[in-house]
Amino acid sequence: MKFYVTTPIYYVNDRPHIGHVYTTTIADILARYHRLCGDDVFFLTGTDEHAAKVVDSAVERGLTTQQWADQNAQAFQDTFAKLGLSNDDFIRTSQPRHKDKVQQYVGELLKTGDVYLGEYEGWYDAGQEEYLPENKAKEYEYKSPFNGKPLVRKKEKNYFFRLSKYAEPLLKLMEENPRFVQPDVRRNEVMKRIREGLNDVPITRTGVGEWGIKVPGDAEHTIYVWIDALINYLSTVDTPERIKYWPADVHLLAKDILWFHAVIWPAMLMALKRPLPGQVYAHGFWIAEGQKMSKSLGNFVDLEKIDRHVAEYGLDSLRYFLAAYGPLGANDSDFAEAKFISVYNSELANDLGNLVNRALTMITRYRSGNVPSANQMDLQADAERVCAVYQQKMSSLDLGGALEAWRGLVTRANRYVEETAPFKLAKQPEQSARLDAVLYNLAETVRLLSVLVAPVMPGISRQIREQLGIGEKIGGIGEELRWGGLVAGGKVGKLAPLFPRKI
Ligand code: ME8
């Protein structure tokens, strides 16, 4: 099977922060999981470069827009590379390969009449570059719900997208396929707003200079940045070699930009007569130390802070924290230093680190490093149950749930050490076969844990497998998750703590 996952393409008016790293890391985990399942994966991220705020922030710095966009797009690429993110491509909307496709699609819509020239007057939120419907503008007292600045009454001749035509098809889609927009609360919000009515939307602006993509055949009009941006998901794979990946299986994003992805984008695809994505998943926000992250509070978890965490706790610990305690689902999550350290110490150093260390140390000490064979498979049923739950949770994007199941197996195996007390068995020669069995059950559970955790902590998975004396490379997940895969007689490798404890 193929699996195509996307992240939003990020604005290049500033450098990346934890929010960007988060969505891209979650997409990376899904991509790695699907590669493990043997799927043909395409994982896309990139940058959204034609926003007016990119032009403005370049002017403030005395740079050309292209220079400023280049610098920041590079910062995103460098950050993602440094964090080991496995995206298959990085699309920049200023690249010709994207611009050409945008013109092609808008041209198609002009032909069918789904895009037409008209006049628009409404309340414009300059910071967000979007018009608010009258009722929303009133509700927010004619101020931006995002930055509090007054909305501007604006009138312009524009090209419009015939969104009104797609209200019924969109509702039908969401009713028939409840998984199309997730989580459920977000889906309900979107459906409620569609039922309130959909107007046609302007998709061009005038007088914005050369930065941006022109309407084909009408150089006075520049295509609105959101329309340009959404198209990246299709433009990048609309080539003979890559079109097999379309439609995307999951568009990952945060709730701030759900409307564009759940309504405008599928309506555009309907108009273009292209297959629709499998799912639009809108996660919540990271806040920091209990407060919304903001420039003025200076509490952004920025690149410097991310680097510090990676240097001190390791990249995989950061990935684990993001996946296990991040805002996938309807709620926001708090990036709190104390919580991070406590998760690191208890779940990683104490539970996982100790289990691996105890199991392998005992095999080294009591069996000269050779994995013994077992006549009883005490942990098999628990392990199989966890593997099944894990796979089900991963497929439904419940990474927190998958890791909770995984942790359950770590805890079960640690308790098994207490219950069976191998250090006592080792002193009783007549219990030799029993000790063999206990050590095998532990080693085999450690092997399974290394497979399950590979998408989230690829480096740690590799280390566990090296210490266990099996190849770092993982085969197909079906085979790897079958109990009994660890061959008796194998030799464990050199042991080292996986997670040095921190105070
Ligand atoms: O909206 N918590 O770009 P953007 C979690 N260019 N995720 C966060 C976050 C937070 N506090 N802050 C940002 C845009 N994100 C458009 C998108 S797509 C066709 C165009 C993540 O740079 C989250 O994924 O403002 C959010 O949707 C995205 O960054 C917004 O990035």
Side-chain angles (χ1 to χ4, degrees):
M1 287 218 297
K2 65 93 186 167
F3 181 74
Y4 177 22
V5 58
T6 70
T7 73
I9 49 171
Y10 306 111
Y11 286 130
V12 284
N13 60 318
D14 220 335
R15 300 197 322 145
H17 61 67
I18 193 72
H20 310 124
V21 166
Y22 174 68
T23 313
T24 317
T25 298
I26 297 303
D28 180 73
I29 292 170
L30 295 178
R32 285 175 193 266
Y33 174 70
H34 281 270
R35 287 190 199 112
L36 201 57
C37 293
D39 291 341
D40 179 9
V41 171
F42 195 73
F43 162 22
L44 180 66
T45 188
T47 41
D48 182 0
E49 311 198 353
H50 295 135
K53 58 185 167 190
V54 179
V55 180
D56 296 344
S57 53
V59 170
E60 278 168 28
R61 286 167 179 82
L63 296 172
T64 66
T65 315
Q66 189 67 59
Q67 283 171 330
W68 181 231
D70 286 349
Q71 268 184 33
N72 282 315
Q74 196 59 47
F76 274 93
Q77 277 170 291
D78 292 347
T79 300
F80 293 167
K82 195 165 65 180
L83 295 176
L85 299 173
S86 64
N87 49 296
D88 295 292
D89 199 350
F90 188 98
I91 181 74
R92 298 183 55 188
T93 54
S94 61
Q95 289 168 336
R97 60 168 172 158
H98 171 75
K99 292 166 89 166
D100 292 349
K101 293 285 176 195
V102 172
Q103 290 201 320
Q104 178 195 318
Y105 304 144
V106 172
E108 283 176 33
L109 296 182
L110 274 165
K111 269 202 198 105
T112 61
D114 273 310
V115 167
Y116 62 92
L117 192 61
E119 193 166 47
Y120 190 82
E121 185 173 1
W123 295 106
Y124 188 69
D125 182 339
Q128 289 297 109
E129 298 195 35
E130 85 180 295
Y131 280 96
L132 268 77
E134 183 63 40
N135 62 345
K136 286 281 163 211
K138 192 167 170 199
E139 184 182 325
Y140 296 122
E141 296 173 346
Y142 303 96
K143 290 195 190 104
S144 165
F146 292 93
N147 61 18
K149 290 191 186 152
L151 299 173
V152 189
R153 191 76 191 163
K154 208 170 155 178
K155 187 173 179 175
E156 44 183 350
K157 203 159 197 181
N158 274 320
Y159 286 89
F160 282 75
F161 172 56
R162 218 175 278 285
L163 183 62
S164 56
K165 182 171 147 190
Y166 294 97
E168 280 312 313
L170 285 167
L171 281 173
K172 187 160 173 278
L173 165 71
M174 290 172 202
E175 268 153 19
E176 282 173 3
N177 180 5
R179 279 176 36 84
F180 182 72
V181 177
Q182 282 292 309
D184 281 336
V185 261
R186 298 282 101 82
R187 167 176 168 264
N188 294 339
E189 287 167 6
V190 167
M191 291 182 72
K192 183 165 174 279
R193 202 172 142 192
I194 299 176
R195 287 199 187 96
E196 286 166 8
L198 290 184
N199 295 323
D200 291 354
V201 286
I203 60 153
T204 58
R205 296 171 309 162
T206 48
V208 294
E210 283 310 302
W211 192 243
I213 306 175
K214 303 292 179 197
V215 171
D218 189 347
E220 271 185 30
H221 293 263
T222 304
I223 295 166
Y224 175 47
V225 63
W226 262 106
I227 300 299
D228 162 356
L230 288 165
I231 286 175
N232 90 87
Y233 302 129
L234 178 59
S235 68
T236 310
V237 297
D238 196 1
T239 64
E241 309 77 50
R242 284 179 172 176
I243 196 65
K244 63 178 177 183
Y245 293 114
W246 188 260
D249 294 270
V250 186
H251 290 311
L252 264 184
L253 42 129
K255 58 189 176 184
D256 54 340
I257 56 176
L258 177 59
W259 182 255
F260 292 103
H261 285 81
V263 175
I264 314 274
W265 179 229
M268 281 169 65
L269 288 167
M270 286 175 184
L272 287 166
K273 303 207 171 12
R274 298 276 188 156
L276 303 181
Q279 184 166 77
V280 174
Y281 191 102
H283 60 70
F285 285 131
W286 279 103
I287 58 170
E289 306 295 343
Q291 277 179 304
K292 185 174 182 310
M293 288 194 283
S294 83
K295 287 248 164 70
S296 49
L297 284 174
N299 67 342
F300 257 100
V301 179
D302 57 12
L303 284 185
E304 286 66 35
K305 188 152 185 189
I306 293 169
D307 282 347
R308 270 204 311 279
H309 275 79
V310 171
E312 190 152 345
Y313 302 98
L315 174 57
D316 280 5
S317 307
L318 175 67
R319 289 171 62 95
Y320 177 83
F321 183 74
L322 296 180
Y325 297 101
L328 266 185
N331 299 323
D332 293 347
S333 293
D334 192 9
F335 198 102
E337 193 74 20
K339 186 163 146 200
F340 187 97
I341 297 175
S342 134
V343 166
Y344 177 88
N345 279 333
S346 68
E347 295 174 17
L348 296 179
N350 217 14
D351 295 349
L352 175 63
N354 268 352
L355 172 66
V356 174
N357 196 262
R358 286 207 281 187
L360 302 189
T361 303
M362 289 191 293
I363 293 177
T364 306
R365 192 169 297 158
Y366 304 141
R367 293 294 179 261
S368 313
N370 296 310
V371 175
S373 60
N375 54 13
Q376 270 170 307
M377 298 300 185
D378 305 323
L379 292 177
Q380 179 173 357
D382 287 314
E384 284 173 349
R385 192 180 40 77
V386 166
C387 290
V389 173
Y390 167 94
Q391 284 177 283
Q392 187 262 320
K393 301 274 182 200
M394 286 299 272
S395 324
S396 57
L397 255 74
D398 180 2
L399 302 196
L403 287 172
E404 196 181 314
W406 175 86
R407 248 178 351 255
L409 187 56
V410 175
T411 306
R412 174 72 191 97
N414 273 321
R415 211 171 45 210
Y416 180 71
V417 178
E418 312 298 321
E419 285 165 8
T420 55
F423 28 89
K424 284 190 193 148
L425 297 175
K427 293 191 187 122
Q428 304 164 282
E430 71 283 6
Q431 293 284 12
S432 176
R434 179 67 189 137
L435 179 59
D436 281 350
V438 168
L439 296 179
Y440 182 86
N441 274 276
L442 286 171
E444 174 61 349
T445 302
V446 166
R447 184 188 70 80
L448 289 172
L449 288 167
S450 81
V451 179
L452 297 178
V453 87
V456 178
M457 297 197 283
I460 289 294
S461 165
R462 221 173 295 130
Q463 285 181 44
I464 296 176
R465 297 175 72 85
E466 271 164 19
Q467 296 192 22
L468 192 51
I470 54 180
E472 64 172 57
K473 208 170 148 25
I474 302 179
I477 197 166
E479 201 178 307
E480 288 280 356
L481 290 187
R482 205 163 302 135
W483 178 273
L486 186 64
V487 184
K491 196 145 178 80
V492 305
K494 196 166 161 310
L495 307 189
L498 295 171
F499 301 97
R501 271 186 83 81
K502 309 279 171 184
I503 22 90

